[in-house]
Amino acid sequence: MPSSTETSVFAEDIREYLNHLAHERRLSPRTLEIRTRDLHDFVSFCTKAQIESLQTLDAHHVRGWVVSLRQNKRAPSSIQRCLSSLRGLLRFLLLRGRLKHNPANEVRAPKSPRPLPKTLDKDTLNAALDSPPDERWTVVRDHAVAELLYSSGLRLAELAGLDPDHFTPALDEVRVLGKGRKERIVPVGAKARAALRQWLVLRGQKLGTGETALFIGRGGVRLSRAGVAAGLRAWARRSGIGVHVHPHKLRHSFATHLLEESGDLRAVQELLGHANLSTTQVYTHLDFTHLAKVYDQAHPRAKRRP
């Protein structure tokens, strides 16, 4: 916890809340880091405003914090997240009887347009994946990473944490530990299975003593998230894609292409491991031509008659 948070008069409340998020809600370390930083920003504001107790906090104070964030050129999405972090803390204390109301609920964050996910063209991506890798072990590994990310829509952290025993013997399913430490089973496509089999042969030759990771780097140890991302960039350069490729772009492409072909939003939600359907709905940005085609094929009164 940052030093100013530790010396604040309500530091214990924040520490208890963060422990609740870590051990009861089981949020990821990255999410905890962000929540901690947001609350540190709030504590810094309270110190300057001479607010010494959360019990005296009101909506006017919270609006003052939002204004200060805007003056510091924070993006609307960042302010929305900061306000959400504060609401969570105050809700936690309210449920434990330490507050009588949650003043953050009375304050609205500035709205921001929700950006559409950036995806790769389906034909370009498939052509790149169909290009056979050379025999270098890192090239075979990076190809398997790209195939698995696109085949199963995994998050970067989910892929980096995989071990071979997370797969069925046939490699047609993988058990993934997602956000909130929630497990889900995801299918693995035939092309990804072939790439994984090729990689597993080389992995056995490079694996360090006692290491269990599916994807390893030099030294035979688990490949870090940064290592996965770097390998994927190298794969994209070799494949001639011509645009920046990162793990989440392949996840976006997986969801968008699957939804375009199936139209089954619920199924895509389950495969992605989204807790709320609203999160998945961002992938419904299908072009009108496709929507019109689906309408013509599915609606009983869509076709005009002479």
Side-chain angles (χ1 to χ4, degrees), residues 46-262:
C46 288
T47 301
K48 294 176 183 177
Q50 297 183 335
I51 301 169
E52 298 182 350
S53 171
L54 290 175
Q55 285 69 31
T56 63
L57 191 70
D58 59 27
H60 175 74
H61 296 139
V62 178
R63 289 192 189 95
W65 182 43
V66 170
V67 168
S68 72
L69 292 172
R70 297 186 69 169
Q71 290 174 340
N72 288 328
K73 309 298 184 183
R74 298 287 287 271
S77 59
S78 175
I79 297 174
Q80 290 169 3
R81 192 202 63 233
C82 287
L83 193 53
S84 176
S85 295
L86 179 59
R87 286 191 186 115
L89 168 65
L90 300 182
R91 182 170 58 249
F92 173 80
L93 298 175
L94 183 65
L95 292 173
R96 280 154 180 76
R98 300 182 200 174
L99 292 180
K100 294 182 179 180
H101 74 294
N102 187 339
N105 288 339
E106 304 171 30
V107 180
R108 291 185 179 182
K111 292 184 178 180
S112 60
R114 190 173 187 181
L116 294 176
K118 294 182 179 179
T119 64
L120 294 164
D121 174 74
K122 190 185 305 182
D123 293 335
T124 301
L125 179 53
N126 277 281
L129 290 169
D130 285 340
S131 300
D134 61 39
E135 296 181 356
R136 288 175 292 171
W137 71 275
T138 54
V139 175
V140 173
R141 179 200 65 198
D142 296 342
H143 179 76
V145 165
E147 283 280 14
L148 185 56
L149 285 170
Y150 181 55
S151 169
S152 302
L154 304 184
R155 299 179 177 95
L156 172 58
E158 293 170 349
L159 180 132
L162 287 178
D163 293 346
D165 63 6
H166 291 162
F167 292 78
T168 56
L171 300 179
D172 56 347
E173 292 181 353
V174 59
R175 174 170 46 87
V176 176
L177 188 63
K179 287 188 175 180
R181 303 189 64 81
K182 294 181 180 178
E183 284 192 356
R184 70 184 190 279
I185 304 296
V186 183
V188 180
K191 296 290 184 69
R193 294 198 298 271
L196 284 171
R197 291 189 183 99
Q198 186 179 6
W199 160 242
L200 285 170
V201 173
L202 297 177
R203 169 187 176 273
Q205 301 170 8
K206 302 292 183 179
L207 193 66
T209 303
E211 183 57 74
T212 63
L214 172 62
F215 293 112
I216 56 175
R218 301 188 188 280
V221 298
R222 185 179 299 274
L223 193 62
S224 67
R225 298 182 194 183
V228 172
L232 194 61
R233 289 194 298 271
W235 168 81
R237 287 194 300 270
R238 288 190 299 266
S239 302
I241 288 182
V243 297
H244 175 61
V245 177
H246 54 81
H248 224 64
K249 185 174 284 189
L250 288 182
R251 177 172 161 88
H252 289 325
S253 300
F254 160 85
T256 301
H257 298 165
L258 191 60
L259 189 59
E260 286 177 350
E261 294 298 327
S262 70

